[in-house]
Amino acid sequence: MTAAAFAAHSAPLLDRQAECFDGGCDLKPEATNAGLAWVNAGLLALVALAPLPLASNRPLPAALLALGAGLLLIGWSLAVWRGASVTISPSKIAGPFALYLGVCLWIAFQWLPGLWADPIWAEASAALGTALPGGISVNPDATLTGLMHLLSYGAVFWLSLQLNAKAERAYFSLGAVAAIGAAYALYGLIVWVTGNDWILFYRKWAYHDALASTFVNRNSFATFMGLCLLAGFSLFLKRIEPVLGVKRQWRQKTVLILESLSSGATVWLAGSVLAVALALLLTGSRGGFISSLAGLLVLALAHARGMLSRRTILPALALGAAFFTIIFLAGGGKVVDRYEAGGAELGNREEIYLLTLDAIEASPWAGSGFGTFPDVISAFQPKTPQLEPVWDKAHNTYLENALELGIPAAIALNAAILLLAGIALRGVQMRKRDWAIAGIGVAATVLVGLHALVDFSLQIPAVAMLYAFMLGIAVAQSWSTRRPGQDSTP
């Protein structure tokens, strides 16, 4: 098969994918329903705008995100009440949903005054000379705010799950994620080359030597870029998979790959992937870089299921090696420099971890209240000049959750996420088509799960909302959506 003949043979498939990226797919009743169409547009807007105001890591934008998620959930409920279908039955995620709901109820119980009061309330009452109602949480306002965040992420996941049951819609949503990532990467690169002095309208006050776009923290932006990179890279692989599957010598296959890259949608995807990958490297985030590589490896394995053979693996590896070599040569020096100069920072975090473990021992079962880490850790923090004067994060989400929620609730929250990722993994193994969409959920969970060991990206609203959105897409594509009696695929 010549390159021209292959291009003619694969044109219908490539054109259909391009239509999906441009929003022209044939989306069936649940997506064309007027109410659900507005909900879907609002959900994409919410995910796209979340990184804009300092990653929404401030009280007002975070509250607006939660309000937006709540209104969209109400809109979806009204559409269902008027006759729209629930595309994914709640029974299919009964286990994760029960764990998530249990954690939310526990946080509400922590917030309630007068129940199972923490000893700190008795000390405060004695110091102030007045009776205080007390409760499990040492800071009820912070706990209520944390619950607001968790509920908004759950709403985004549920809406994404229901709105992306069709593969065409899922591909379109992933294309939107790739475009969002490219937009914030390009803005960050523009700021970088013009002096790296600004975050929107604010003078930068941190990370003057790192690209962070609209984020304050480079590590959190690296996680955000890593998630967007998964979406763009998956779509790019989807575009060239027909070429990789052709039985030809690797030289002929290279020519076919280069020819397939000439289509407009593939060029756009390649450009967005390059921009996002370069922005990721210029953050200088070691944890973000390693976690993103791990996620990309998982994603590549998901795509390779049933596709790679002895004939195809060499050109696939060569293409991947060439891509990452180009990107690393362009911006990898920042990451290398960070590894060479990072010993003191790692030692500082180790001390934070040890003190967080001491704080967990003080209340291992009930916790101190969701969102109260800064209030609690200050009592354990030694007054030494080597450490930051104020700690507001443990730089390990698992330890911080255990301190705030208590060990049982922290395990339940993480188990809910792992069960959802397990559903996506089953989709990768069992589906006969589009299994790579489910693979994105597994890869994204590996990425954020690894980075949560050394940082707090999942505690940043823009990152958590994007992850919830992508996990919803992946889980939605882990089952067949065909009706009984039709030729279905698991």
Side-chain angles (χ1 to χ4, degrees):
M1 180 184 292
T2 65
F6 175 80
H9 175 74
S10 61
L13 173 62
L14 298 178
D15 289 344
R16 177 160 176 75
Q17 291 177 6
E19 288 175 5
C20 290
F21 301 146
D22 297 334
C25 293
D26 178 22
L27 301 175
K28 297 301 179 183
E30 72 271 8
T32 54
N33 175 279
L36 288 180
W38 278 108
V39 173
N40 187 72
L43 183 60
L44 289 175
L46 201 66
V47 174
L49 294 174
L52 191 59
L54 305 180
S56 296
N57 193 32
R58 296 293 185 273
L60 179 57
L64 291 176
L65 277 188
L67 176 62
L71 291 175
L72 290 173
L73 187 59
I74 292 172
W76 175 84
S77 302
L78 290 175
V80 170
W81 178 66
R82 293 170 124 184
S85 61
V86 178
T87 54
I88 304 295
S89 170
S91 63
K92 290 188 173 183
I93 57 167
F97 177 75
L99 290 171
Y100 167 79
L101 181 61
V103 172
C104 290
L105 291 174
W106 171 247
I107 295 171
F109 185 79
Q110 287 183 316
W111 168 77
L112 287 174
L115 297 173
W116 202 352
D118 188 282
I120 195 172
W121 288 104
E123 298 176 11
S125 297
L128 295 175
T130 183
L132 297 174
I136 295 176
S137 175
V138 301
N139 187 339
D141 289 341
T143 297
L144 196 60
T145 299
L147 178 60
M148 175 192 73
H149 289 316
L150 194 60
L151 289 172
S152 65
Y153 306 149
V156 169
F157 168 81
W158 177 256
L159 292 172
S160 180
L161 178 74
Q162 296 300 325
L163 295 171
N164 290 286
K166 294 292 183 181
E168 292 90 346
R169 173 57 66 182
Y171 280 124
F172 177 78
S173 296
L174 290 175
V177 171
I180 291 167
Y184 285 103
L186 287 173
Y187 169 77
L189 290 170
I190 291 171
V191 172
W192 174 265
V193 299
T194 56
N196 202 36
D197 295 325
W198 295 88
I199 305 176
L200 298 174
F201 304 107
Y202 303 97
R203 281 278 186 183
K204 291 189 74 170
W205 59 91
Y207 299 114
H208 297 280
D209 60 342
L211 190 152
S213 190
T214 59
F215 287 57
V216 176
N217 186 282
R218 64 176 163 198
N219 301 301
S220 300
F221 182 63
T223 304
F224 187 86
M225 286 289 96
L227 291 172
C228 295
L229 183 60
L230 292 180
F233 193 59
S234 180
L235 294 176
F236 177 77
L237 289 178
K238 182 68 175 176
R239 297 285 292 176
I240 65 172
E241 274 178 4
V243 184
L244 295 176
V246 175
K247 295 181 178 179
R248 286 290 182 272
Q249 295 296 326
W250 68 270
R251 292 185 182 86
Q252 295 174 312
K253 190 166 294 190
T254 301
V255 174
L256 291 174
I257 290 173
L258 293 175
E259 185 164 333
S260 70
L261 292 176
S262 63
S263 66
T266 309
V267 171
W268 177 86
L269 280 171
S272 68
V273 169
L274 286 169
V276 170
L278 181 57
L280 169 61
L281 284 173
L282 289 176
T283 64
S285 172
R286 296 161 298 176
F289 175 71
I290 293 175
S291 301
S292 296
L293 278 185
L296 285 171
L297 175 61
V298 172
L299 181 64
L301 291 174
H303 273 271
R305 199 211 85 182
M307 183 186 74
L308 292 182
S309 65
R310 277 190 252 179
R311 291 175 175 266
T312 61
I313 193 162
L314 184 58
L317 289 175
L319 182 66
F323 170 79
F324 286 110
T325 299
I326 293 171
I327 294 300
F328 193 80
L329 289 175
K334 290 293 298 179
V335 177
V336 173
D337 292 343
R338 287 270 289 135
Y339 274 108
E340 293 177 349
E345 181 181 347
L346 291 176
N348 189 28
R349 290 188 183 183
E350 182 180 355
E351 188 162 355
I352 296 174
Y353 299 157
L354 292 174
L355 291 176
T356 303
L357 288 171
D358 291 341
I360 291 171
E361 290 180 2
S363 183
W365 306 112
S368 61
F370 196 44
T372 61
F373 176 84
D375 305 281
V376 175
I377 203 65
S378 60
F380 293 83
Q381 180 179 353
K383 308 304 180 187
T384 59
Q386 291 81 12
L387 298 175
E388 297 179 18
V390 177
W391 296 347
D392 59 352
K393 295 289 188 294
H395 292 273
N396 183 306
T397 302
Y398 306 106
L399 290 178
E400 191 162 330
N401 284 343
L403 187 157
E404 296 176 345
L405 293 171
I407 294 174
I411 291 175
L413 180 60
N414 289 297
I417 297 173
L418 283 177
L419 286 174
L420 292 173
I423 292 172
L425 180 60
R426 189 204 64 167
V428 175
Q429 297 169 334
M430 300 298 295
R431 283 182 67 101
K432 295 180 180 178
R433 60 176 181 267
D434 299 318
W435 59 78
I437 303 178
I440 286 179
V442 183
T445 302
V446 169
L447 193 163
V448 300
L450 286 177
H451 204 204
L453 288 168
V454 294
D455 231 305
F456 50 84
S457 295
L458 271 181
Q459 296 163 250
I460 304 300
V463 176
M465 193 156 284
L466 177 62
Y467 171 64
F469 180 70
M470 294 176 66
L471 186 61
I473 296 172
V475 174
Q477 290 298 310
S478 299
W479 298 285
S480 170
T481 57
R482 295 182 181 272
R483 297 175 182 175
Q486 291 180 314
D487 180 23
S488 61
T489 57

